[in-house]
Amino acid sequence: MKEQDVSSLLPGMRLADDIKGASGTIILKKGTVLNRGIISGLVHRGVRSVMVETEDESSAQDMDTNELKDKILEQLEILRPIFSRSSDLEWMKILMEAAATARARRS
Amino acid sequence: MQKSLQAMIDSMSDLPSMPDILEELFRVTSTPSCSSKDVARVLEKDQGLTAKLLRVANSPFYGLSRKVDTVERACTVLGLNTVKNMALSVSIMDVFGSAGVRSSIDVAEMWRHNLGCAVSAKAVFETRFKGGDDVFVGGILHDIGKIILDTYMQDEYFEVMKLHDSGVPLLDSEIRVLGRTHAAVGRILARRWRFPEKVEAMIAFHHRPKETKVAMDHVAAVHVGNEIAKALMLGKSNEIYVMPIDKTCWDMFFKNGDNIEGLLFKIQEEFYQIEDAFGLRPKNAEV
């Protein structure tokens, strides 16, 4: 991670640490991906600099997201046969996809 | 040839009788003046049961900030109804916990499925209503008929499982071979042991929720929770397929845009937290 001046923040950068307000409550969570609205909010609050992930760290995160997608597909393959008598129903399809995601997040 | 229901009950004459301790527990808790002390006095007669109860009460599932070390304390902290239901679940798992000699099902995995259904049904119920303890016990017991059939009618149930393995859904297989389902058989035990009416309804109607005359919300939660447990593959019901959930029941608990994935993730985590306390984690499982 690196410290970055708020004036040089770019949309798409990811926070490497929580940002806390004066009272200590968390305003923005570690891992939040910045957009223009968030950046101008930080400027507005008078925040000077924040910790952001380096490009290498960010691409590792993206890989995690891709890995999760792969795992969800893998779980769907496992679940499809046991859902063969119900997945033509719209709400059962929702259940199957939610179960695949929940199982992928655990694996 | 299919047996009549009476012949079926007769052939199960060696069905275990209700444990004395449960009989006493039901009697004590049915009086309005029942206190934590009264419940503790009954349950603490059985040390094995007490130890198991406290292990469940102290599992992360119940999220107690301090450990409880007596039944009385557990009643005060968790409530009489929760402890009563916990005792019912634990003692029935004791009575029916082990498989018959020529079992056609994996009884340990079956109990894991029952626990998975209990956790799912309680979570589903609590999306709309308060107090899912009765639903939890309904989840634990919903498939008790399968365990009874597998133990007391082994030859017939072997035929059922053979048919099911060829691709026929389990309920259809049961009806073809036995003329009735595990739900109807479970109801026989529920009546013989004088289970509370709601529990009997959850056992008898978990596959046909619209037919119940009592506790529709409870029955619907077990109906939905049963399929969720199968979808998350928590234990193994001996039904291969996730069967269609009745749309009316689904709509009772979920609407468009609900975070179902989040609920399922929570159910899954809770299940893995509590299975240890029930002594159900498979020995070779990763920790």
Side-chain angles (χ1 to χ4, degrees):
Chain A
M1 67 175 114
K2 60 179 178 183
E3 190 172 0
Q4 185 99 7
D5 207 76
V6 167
S7 60
S8 60
L9 287 176
L10 295 170
M13 286 180 167
R14 203 189 300 254
L15 292 180
D17 209 349
D18 294 337
I19 297 181
K20 290 179 183 163
S23 62
T25 52
I26 295 174
I27 308 170
L28 286 169
K29 277 195 155 183
K30 177 182 172 179
T32 302
V33 179
L34 301 180
N35 58 33
R36 288 183 200 285
I38 295 176
I39 295 170
S40 61
L42 290 171
V43 173
H44 186 71
R45 277 179 173 268
V47 178
R48 289 188 179 184
S49 65
V50 296
M51 300 305 290
V52 292
E53 287 173 358
T54 61
E55 273 176 26
D56 285 354
E57 288 164 343
S58 285
S59 62
Q61 283 279 353
D62 287 343
M63 221 162 66
D64 284 353
T65 317
N66 284 332
E67 207 185 321
L68 181 65
K69 275 186 194 154
D70 286 346
K71 282 185 176 169
I72 293 172
L73 290 177
E74 212 173 274
Q75 290 299 329
L76 276 175
E77 285 313 305
I78 296 172
L79 292 180
R80 225 166 250 135
I82 65 170
F83 269 87
S84 61
R85 295 189 180 253
S86 54
S87 57
D88 51 333
L89 300 167
E90 182 205 341
W91 62 98
M92 295 307 289
K93 210 171 153 198
I94 294 173
L95 177 63
M96 179 171 78
E97 283 164 9
T101 311
R103 285 172 51 80
R105 278 171 66 195
R106 187 176 170 86
S107 65
Chain B
M1 202 180 72
Q2 289 174 3
K3 291 184 182 177
S4 72
L5 190 59
Q6 190 53 49
M8 206 163 177
I9 300 169
D10 291 345
S11 74
M12 288 188 255
S13 55
D14 51 348
L15 200 64
S17 56
M18 180 166 182
D20 293 345
I21 203 156
L22 281 186
E23 192 133 25
E24 207 181 332
L25 181 68
F26 283 163
R27 191 170 44 74
V28 167
T29 51
S30 66
T31 61
S33 61
C34 173
S35 70
S36 300
K37 263 202 177 68
D38 299 330
V39 171
R41 204 176 303 127
V42 174
L43 294 177
E44 280 171 354
K45 283 182 196 161
D46 184 335
Q47 291 183 357
L49 177 64
T50 299
K52 282 180 191 162
L53 266 183
L54 293 175
R55 202 165 63 210
V56 173
N58 286 310
S59 74
F61 182 72
Y62 288 98
L64 300 181
S65 56
R66 283 178 58 192
K67 204 172 162 216
V68 291
D69 47 15
T70 62
V71 174
E72 191 182 337
R73 183 86 193 121
C75 291
T76 311
V77 179
L78 294 167
L80 287 184
N81 197 43
T82 304
V83 174
K84 177 183 136 188
N85 280 329
M86 220 182 254
L88 181 58
S89 307
V90 169
S91 65
I92 287 179
M93 282 170 74
D94 265 356
V95 176
F96 293 102
S98 49
V101 191
R102 288 170 294 129
S103 176
S104 342
I105 61 178
D106 182 337
V107 174
E109 279 298 321
M110 181 90 216
W111 279 111
R112 290 183 80 233
H113 162 71
N114 293 342
L115 184 63
C117 173
V119 172
S120 305
K122 182 173 189 282
V124 165
F125 185 80
E126 289 178 351
T127 60
R128 292 288 174 265
F129 308 104
K130 280 188 177 157
D133 286 322
D134 292 332
V135 171
F136 187 89
V137 84
I140 293 276
L141 298 177
H142 76 289
D143 271 348
I144 192 74
K146 285 185 191 168
I147 291 173
I148 292 171
L149 285 168
D150 180 63
T151 311
Y152 297 95
M153 297 185 72
Q154 294 182 339
D155 296 338
E156 291 90 339
Y157 215 57
F158 180 76
E159 292 303 316
V160 170
M161 291 313 294
K162 220 163 73 180
L163 190 58
H164 179 48
D165 286 343
S166 72
V168 180
L170 185 69
L171 284 183
D172 298 339
S173 306
E174 287 177 346
I175 288 173
R176 271 197 229 171
V177 176
L178 305 166
R180 54 190 48 80
T181 68
H182 63 273
V185 173
R187 193 178 199 183
I188 298 173
L189 182 84
R191 287 194 168 157
R192 194 178 283 192
W193 285 20
R194 295 195 294 280
F195 282 172
E197 197 182 32
K198 276 183 198 166
V199 177
E200 182 187 324
M202 289 184 273
I203 294 172
F205 298 108
H206 67 274
H207 288 293
R208 293 186 302 183
K210 281 182 182 151
E211 291 178 26
T212 185
K213 292 192 176 62
V214 295
M216 174 65 185
D217 46 1
H218 288 63
V219 174
V222 172
H223 171 70
V224 175
N226 187 28
E227 303 307 329
I228 290 181
K230 287 195 270 172
L232 290 171
M233 301 170 92
L234 308 175
K236 289 191 193 99
S237 135
N238 46 349
E239 163 69 86
I240 301 164
Y241 305 109
V242 178
M243 298 302 282
I245 291 174
D246 179 275
K247 183 72 163 70
T248 317
C249 294
W250 176 269
D251 290 341
M252 270 175 83
F253 303 107
F254 303 122
K255 37 181 205 309
N256 278 347
D258 277 355
N259 182 5
I260 294 169
E261 174 206 318
L263 181 75
L264 263 51
F265 189 73
K266 179 185 123 166
I267 288 170
Q268 189 173 248
E269 294 308 299
E270 285 180 348
F271 172 79
Y272 289 111
Q273 278 176 356
I274 202 178
E275 65 163 351
D276 246 355
F278 274 95
L280 288 172
R281 188 193 290 263
K283 291 193 175 53
N284 54 358
E286 291 169 36
V287 178

